[in-house]
Amino acid sequence: MDNVSLLNSRQKSTRIAATVFLSPVILLMLIYIIYPIFSTFEISLNEWNGISANKVFVGLENWKTLVKDEVFWKAFLNNIILMVCSILLQMPLAVALATFLDAGGKKVNIYKVAWFLPLLMSSVAIGFLFSYALATTGGIVTTISQAFGGGKVDLLGRAPQALYAVIFVVAWQYTPFYMIYFLAGYSNISIDIYEATIIDGATRGQYFRHVALPLLRPVIYTACILSLIGSLKYFDLIYVMTGGGPGTATDLMATYMYKMSFKTFRMGYGSTVAAGMFVLVTGIALVIQRLLKVRDSVDG
Amino acid sequence: MDKYVKEKIKSRAAWAVAFILASVWFLATVLPFIYMVMNSFKGQFEMLKKGVFQLPDSWYPANYIDVLQKGISSYFIHSVIVLVISLAILLSITACASYPLSRMRFKLRNAVYALIVAGMSIPIHVTLIPIFKMSTKLGVYDSIWALIGPYVTFTIPISCYILTSFMATIPKEVEESAEIDGCNKFRNFFSIILPLSKSGLSTLAIYNGVSIWNEFSFANTLTQSKRAKTLPLAIQSFQGEYTMNIPVIMAVLVLTVLPMIALFIVLQDKLVKGLMAGAVKG
């Protein structure tokens, strides 16, 4: 009898303590994340300029427009292109850089510090810097091209190049991050393993292919997922660098949503774009999680 | 030629190729920085006339003085205030939340934890319009107070995730012995768990500090005038004022990067570890 009530009172005190400790976090998340998500879906059913009091309920009109909105799907496609290119470009490059730093050790420290530098800049600063550095007049690429007798290079002003330029700048920004991440992965490989491989007569290349790379696989996997989710939510850098332009050539879902809502003040439709983005991102995240689970159960 | 020499030549050649490729990426990384710093010392027309990679006529920081006189410090001060308040709130409430999530057993534990962590994959743009609406309604629109709520909330999920797994590594016995000595949960938290979590909290402070310092979307949406704008918005404002004067913009850019470089010099490995904290997913 006594034991049971003691257990009960302990559980009760745990419950009270947990509630007290958790409530500020839960409260903030309700106010700033959960309520706004519902609210976005609600606003998406209206025509509203964001300022005036009269919201006009239009039902699913905005959603019908969204499904047929070529610019939105173009933006989504750009997100996908950015995602695929980011992984194909940044991962091999980051692995190569990390491998170089791991093999070179202290001798190549200057490379390590230099390669790390972009991580110290914010996305916004990088966006602005490259909007000038890639400009047709007074830009880096144009200057180099002219030094070799070439003409002016218009990277951000024309449709297909602009997207590639953006993808390069994104790689410039994020490759150091994954490089450091893989370098940490390398340092987790015990020195004994390396020594054993070398004593067995393997070359550096064989060590990399048959020992290090398989050991790094989980780290690379995580990096790919981070990059993937990040690419879908991308905003700052592109917004300040190209503003989605020229035209809508470099628009992403987030920049399109932002321009709709806070430039042309079509907040009703902007909310629809945001809600559409939420559905797509969440959907893709869930699919990835599923695939991960399948993979884990196969592996483990 | 014997095999040893052959191998040696091959490995030398491989190193040479590696060094060349490494140097290409070295240049690609460093050139934009050189471009930024060098041109920030030039005059408006000097840059266009002389070409971007010529050394400036003088290293007198005219642009910097100009920018400082035009009040870039107010952006800086706003950023500092927002950062300090947001971090203080964030660290105290996530410490509180991570304690029961990592060290107590109760019914909804897993559900609550899953809900908080799920917040990590929410794109902030989904919440932008309602938060904009809320801040105008509450009358905090266009003040730094509008930023604190969103900044704290959107850094909660990753912070709880990191700190919960950190606190889970503290051995159970520490707490149990205190409990036998008559400590309740609250005493336990403040006098045992919190002091032991210091290094986890400092990692969080760096990681979130950097992302709050650099935040752009909310700042751009929720503030409008100079009396509230934070440092990431300074570049835009100066661009509006000095449309074609690229060297001034470069000076602004250098000034916004300086605090991070200073932090890097002071903290080094700690900063690197902090920046990587977001990638520790299992």
Side-chain angles (χ1 to χ4, degrees):
Chain A
M1 245 328 244
D2 253 339
N3 273 338
V4 174
S5 70
L6 192 64
L7 185 70
N8 271 343
S9 83
R10 270 194 67 134
Q11 272 177 350
K12 200 179 161 201
S13 85
T14 305
R15 258 202 313 274
I16 292 170
T19 314
V20 172
F21 277 120
L22 280 165
S23 51
V25 160
I26 303 278
L27 191 70
L28 276 176
M29 289 193 63
L30 280 175
I31 297 173
Y32 285 104
I33 297 182
I34 296 169
Y35 162 73
I37 291 174
F38 285 105
S39 177
T40 292
F41 277 91
E42 192 264 325
I43 299 172
S44 79
L45 304 176
N46 296 280
E47 200 70 67
W48 182 46
N49 66 11
I51 302 153
S52 76
N54 65 327
K55 265 197 279 188
V56 184
F57 183 80
V58 291
L60 288 174
E61 255 343 283
N62 284 331
W63 283 88
K64 279 183 200 153
T65 316
L66 183 77
V67 172
K68 281 181 275 180
D69 186 346
E70 275 175 28
V71 182
F72 175 74
W73 292 108
K74 172 89 193 305
F76 177 61
L77 184 69
N78 282 345
N79 273 112
I80 300 289
I81 295 174
L82 177 72
M83 177 174 108
V84 173
C85 291
S86 290
I87 289 178
L88 291 183
L89 202 66
Q90 292 169 28
M91 296 306 148
L93 190 57
V95 169
L97 299 180
T99 307
F100 181 79
L101 293 179
D102 181 60
K106 280 244 151 48
K107 275 182 294 180
V108 293
N109 231 345
I110 175 87
Y111 284 94
K112 186 174 161 186
V113 173
W115 288 342
F116 181 80
L117 279 178
L119 270 184
L120 298 176
M121 269 183 108
S122 67
S123 298
V124 184
I126 292 176
F128 276 113
L129 175 58
F130 275 92
S131 70
Y132 294 106
L134 299 179
T136 325
T137 40
I140 294 179
V141 178
T142 294
T143 308
I144 293 174
S145 149
Q146 282 172 336
F148 286 101
K152 288 189 169 181
V153 184
D154 187 11
L155 281 170
L156 296 176
R158 278 202 222 136
Q161 296 98 303
L163 189 61
Y164 301 137
V166 163
I167 288 168
F168 168 79
V169 178
V170 174
W172 189 87
Q173 179 186 19
Y174 280 102
T175 305
F177 177 85
Y178 297 116
M179 174 191 86
I180 299 283
Y181 189 47
F182 295 151
L183 198 59
Y186 263 118
S187 67
N188 282 337
I189 300 175
S190 134
I191 189 81
D192 296 346
I193 295 179
Y194 173 68
E195 281 170 354
T197 333
I198 299 300
I199 289 171
D200 283 349
T203 62
R204 194 87 217 185
Q206 283 168 330
Y207 164 71
F208 172 71
R209 257 198 319 278
H210 301 296
V211 180
L213 207 54
L215 285 173
L216 283 179
R217 215 185 61 176
V219 185
I220 297 175
Y221 212 84
T222 310
C224 288
I225 291 165
L226 286 176
S227 164
L228 208 148
I229 300 287
S231 304
L232 292 173
K233 300 197 279 187
Y234 216 69
F235 176 74
D236 301 4
L237 190 147
I238 294 185
Y239 181 73
V240 297
M241 199 167 109
T242 66
T248 57
T250 56
D251 253 329
L252 301 179
M253 290 189 286
T255 58
Y256 185 54
M257 175 269 159
Y258 198 87
K259 285 198 283 189
M260 272 296 150
S261 315
F262 296 102
K263 291 275 177 239
T264 50
F265 289 101
R266 287 177 62 192
M267 293 237 179
Y269 190 58
S271 293
T272 318
V273 175
M277 182 179 165
F278 174 75
V279 171
L280 289 169
V281 173
T282 312
I284 292 174
L286 286 176
V287 169
I288 292 168
Q289 214 175 28
R290 255 278 152 70
L291 291 176
L292 263 183
K293 273 206 183 114
V294 172
R295 188 193 75 109
D296 281 353
S297 62
V298 169
D299 273 15
Chain B
M1 220 183 330
D2 67 10
K3 199 176 158 219
Y4 175 74
V5 177
K6 231 187 201 163
E7 279 296 325
K8 195 153 190 192
I9 291 173
K10 228 170 111 185
S11 118
R12 279 270 165 82
W15 266 113
V17 173
F19 264 105
I20 292 169
L21 292 177
S23 305
V24 170
W25 190 252
F26 180 87
L27 276 183
T29 308
V30 173
L31 268 185
F33 283 96
I34 295 175
Y35 173 87
M36 175 172 84
V37 173
M38 235 162 58
N39 287 312
S40 71
F41 285 95
K42 290 180 187 168
Q44 182 179 358
F45 299 107
E46 187 190 346
M47 175 181 168
L48 294 174
K49 254 189 297 188
K50 278 181 52 182
V52 286
F53 286 115
Q54 304 283 330
L55 285 176
D57 287 340
S58 83
W59 292 93
Y60 180 70
N63 293 326
Y64 290 90
I65 293 169
D66 204 15
V67 167
L68 286 171
Q69 275 171 349
K70 279 273 159 75
I72 197 172
S73 52
S74 80
Y75 298 94
F76 189 85
I77 291 165
H78 296 149
S79 272
V80 172
I81 298 174
V82 171
L83 178 72
V84 169
I85 298 176
S86 304
L87 268 191
I89 299 174
L90 173 74
L91 292 184
S92 36
I93 67 173
T94 44
C96 285
S98 304
Y99 174 55
L101 291 175
S102 60
R103 313 188 65 85
M104 289 183 197
R105 281 201 208 152
F106 54 98
K107 230 198 239 152
L108 288 171
R109 198 198 80 100
N110 289 335
V112 171
Y113 183 63
L115 181 82
I116 293 174
V117 171
M120 270 194 265
S121 58
I122 306 288
I124 59 149
H125 286 81
V126 179
T127 64
L128 218 46
I129 292 176
I131 289 178
F132 165 76
K133 220 174 92 183
M134 245 188 307
S135 72
T136 50
K137 245 190 207 146
L138 293 173
V140 289
Y141 175 74
D142 199 21
S143 78
I144 52 174
W145 310 112
L147 299 175
I148 290 167
Y151 282 7
V152 171
T153 312
F154 277 89
T155 44
I156 285 175
I158 183 82
S159 307
C160 272
Y161 178 81
I162 295 169
L163 204 57
T164 300
S165 47
F166 185 89
M167 283 186 181
T169 61
I170 300 171
K172 241 195 192 142
E173 288 75 17
V174 192
E175 216 177 341
E176 272 166 3
S177 65
E179 216 156 306
I180 291 167
D181 289 346
C183 275
N184 63 18
K185 295 278 184 218
F186 297 91
R187 272 282 300 275
N188 260 342
F189 173 66
F190 285 108
S191 46
I192 297 170
I193 301 299
L194 204 55
L196 285 174
S197 305
K198 255 188 208 148
S199 79
L201 284 170
S202 75
T203 305
L204 279 191
I206 293 172
Y207 178 76
N208 294 310
V210 171
S211 59
I212 289 172
W213 184 259
N214 291 335
E215 206 283 335
F216 175 74
S217 301
F218 279 119
N220 197 31
T221 312
L222 301 178
T223 65
Q224 192 184 28
S225 67
K226 219 180 147 182
R227 61 186 185 90
K229 280 185 176 178
T230 53
L231 204 55
L233 302 179
I235 313 167
Q236 221 176 15
S237 315
F238 278 94
Q239 204 184 26
E241 226 173 302
Y242 293 86
T243 332
M244 287 315 291
N245 199 340
I246 301 173
V248 171
I249 310 292
M250 292 299 139
V252 177
L253 281 174
V254 172
L255 287 176
T256 61
V257 181
L258 273 186
M260 281 295 289
I261 296 203
L263 201 66
F264 179 57
I265 292 167
V266 176
L267 293 173
Q268 300 241 5
D269 288 347
K270 246 193 162 171
L271 179 77
V272 177
K273 198 180 145 213
L275 288 174
M276 289 293 122
V280 290
K281 284 188 190 174

